[in-house]
Amino acid sequence: PEDMALAGVRAAPEAGRGAGGPLVAERLSDRLAVRLASHIRGGNLKAGDRLPTEAQLSAEHGVSRATVREAVHQLKSLG
């Protein structure tokens, strides 16, 4: 389910709007998981396609391999 792909995502407070506002991920791995899920849903990655390596994703998204590993783990747990 699409809602599960947003686990760890919360609304960011904005001045004058109280607790509402745009959705932002709390951790880099959350943001990366949401971005990768978006690529999958958008058809950039098909069922059965392999993800790029941790090193490739790390370089492409400017995050550590540990962050990539956590994001992929999150996606795996969602199914």
Side-chain angles (χ1 to χ4, degrees), residues 10-60:
R10 61 177 171 75
E14 286 185 349
R17 290 193 57 196
L23 293 179
V24 295
E26 295 180 32
R27 299 180 306 175
L28 286 176
S29 59
D30 296 335
R31 287 189 222 168
L32 182 57
V34 169
R35 187 178 300 165
L36 292 174
S38 177
H39 282 290
I40 292 167
R41 282 193 305 270
N44 297 335
L45 294 169
K46 307 272 189 252
D49 283 354
R50 295 180 64 86
L51 287 174
T53 66
E54 283 181 3
Q56 290 169 325
L57 288 170
S58 174
E60 182 178 336

